[in-house]
Amino acid sequence: MDKDKTSTRLASYLQNVRDGRLLNYSVLERELRKLSVPESTIHDCFSAELVKPNKYRVHIKDEASFQCLYARFAKSSLESRTSAALSGDSHRAKVSGSFLLLRNQHCPKPVVVWFEGDKFYCPVEPSKCALLVENLENYIATDQMVSFLNKCGVAVANNQIDVIYASGNQITNQLHHPFLKGYKQILCLFDVDLGALKVYQALCQMLPDTELRFAYPKDITRRLKDSERRMSASERAELLKYTGLSPELDFLIQNMRATGNKLEQETYLDLS
């Protein structure tokens, strides 16, 4: 029973690493050692960055090594929600399935891409490019958001792009990996805030061979200056952790720090 509890606890920590959440890295190391994971594997797989007392952002140094650990512990422990329910706490387990909503010019009404275990079912032929939209109001205005890409310096034909409802950090669910990796290019049209950068970083880690771009309008400097949404001092400091992912993102972070503001993507909608 103690081993089962350790395995379940480790599964939760590994999922938090995958989702980019802060955690106590010393506890993660301890749980790995309890299950006889070699020190060399721990060292090769992770690096930890202290954010605040006992809270670390853990980076995946070796994706292949992490996937081995994830498959060994996380899937077997977290995806058995039924077993967790029998013990009276189903919320400690990850749901074994998921879904995404997809729209394009060929299917203007959203279709459901269904995920179950390591398999997925998509009722339409995916395009080569995908646009991830974070907020529901923007997703409803799919055509407008695709047209808005022109203001972001992105040229994509309307009939060559799938628009997917990202719904916050749900898009980073590891179950979505086999489907998302089929896209040649993924454009992320998110809020301009710390949470969006976390999601983008998680996607970069999950899809290292995919061309990913954090899209924002070319007049972002003016938009941020005009925004009334202020960042806290801790948010401004934490932005620096996401530099280096791309030149475009570095420029965005520079403007966010200079203005001290963030931006909701609903402001991209033409409400006139």
Side-chain angles (χ1 to χ4, degrees):
M1 178 61 69
D2 288 343
K3 186 175 181 180
D4 290 341
K5 288 182 178 179
T6 297
S7 181
T8 299
R9 191 179 300 115
L10 176 57
S12 179
Y13 270 78
L14 290 175
Q15 187 63 45
N16 285 341
V17 171
R18 169 61 70 196
D19 293 342
R21 298 191 181 100
L22 298 183
L23 54 88
N24 190 325
Y25 183 63
S26 62
V27 175
L28 171 61
E29 287 185 313
R30 184 183 69 206
E31 300 305 315
L32 288 166
R33 294 187 185 110
K34 282 183 181 179
L35 293 171
S36 302
V37 175
E39 291 290 335
S40 58
T41 299
I42 299 173
H43 179 269
D44 292 343
C45 191
F46 303 108
S47 65
E49 176 186 8
L50 182 65
V51 175
K52 51 187 176 182
N54 294 323
K55 293 294 182 180
Y56 293 79
R57 175 162 289 102
V58 180
H59 302 282
I60 300 170
K61 293 167 59 179
D62 186 329
E63 184 67 29
S65 296
F66 178 81
Q67 288 292 354
C68 289
L69 290 175
Y70 189 89
R72 179 181 173 187
F73 298 112
K75 285 189 175 181
S76 61
S77 296
L78 283 177
E79 292 179 4
S80 181
R81 193 175 178 89
T82 302
S83 297
L86 291 174
S87 66
D89 186 12
S90 64
H91 294 287
R92 70 172 171 81
K94 299 295 288 186
V95 179
S96 60
S98 181
F99 68 90
L100 293 173
L101 297 179
L102 180 151
R103 302 174 73 180
N104 58 34
Q105 288 292 305
H106 307 292
C107 52
K109 293 184 178 179
V111 298
V112 175
V113 185
W114 181 254
F115 301 84
E116 190 167 0
D118 58 355
K119 298 179 181 179
F120 69 87
Y121 169 73
C122 183
V124 297
E125 182 69 25
S127 303
K128 294 298 182 182
C129 180
L131 171 64
L132 306 183
V133 177
E134 180 180 0
N135 298 99
L136 181 58
E137 193 65 37
N138 294 74
Y139 188 69
I140 292 171
T142 291
D143 290 342
Q144 189 174 330
M145 289 300 95
V146 173
S147 298
F148 186 79
L149 289 175
N150 291 323
K151 296 183 178 181
C152 303
V154 179
V156 181
N158 283 22
N159 61 353
Q160 295 177 357
I161 188 168
D162 296 338
V163 185
I164 297 172
Y165 181 39
S167 185
N169 66 358
Q170 179 189 354
I171 191 66
T172 62
N173 189 325
Q174 187 62 23
L175 294 176
H176 302 157
H177 176 260
F179 175 70
L180 293 177
K181 73 176 183 180
Y183 286 103
K184 182 178 180 180
Q185 181 186 44
I186 295 179
L187 305 167
C188 301
L189 193 59
F190 296 159
D191 290 336
V192 178
D193 61 14
L194 187 60
L197 300 190
K198 292 178 181 179
V199 172
Y200 181 72
Q201 182 190 59
L203 286 170
C204 289
Q205 292 174 342
M206 186 170 75
L207 302 164
D209 299 321
T210 303
E211 179 188 345
L212 284 153
R213 176 169 175 176
F214 195 107
Y216 55 84
K218 289 181 283 187
D219 63 347
I220 191 64
T221 301
R222 177 190 62 78
R223 290 174 181 263
L224 281 169
K225 286 180 178 178
D226 293 344
S227 175
E228 296 182 358
R229 294 194 66 208
R230 298 289 295 171
M231 288 186 293
S232 67
S234 60
E235 284 179 309
R236 291 181 69 243
E238 194 171 346
L239 287 174
L240 294 175
K241 297 180 176 66
Y242 300 95
T243 57
L245 290 174
S246 72
E248 294 88 357
L249 197 65
D250 287 351
F251 178 79
L252 179 64
I253 291 171
Q254 178 184 344
N255 277 272
M256 292 172 70
R257 283 177 52 80
T259 61
N261 292 340
K262 50 190 174 181
L263 195 68
E264 291 184 337
Q265 70 169 193
E266 285 92 339
T267 60
Y268 299 158
L269 291 169
D270 182 4
L271 302 177
S272 60

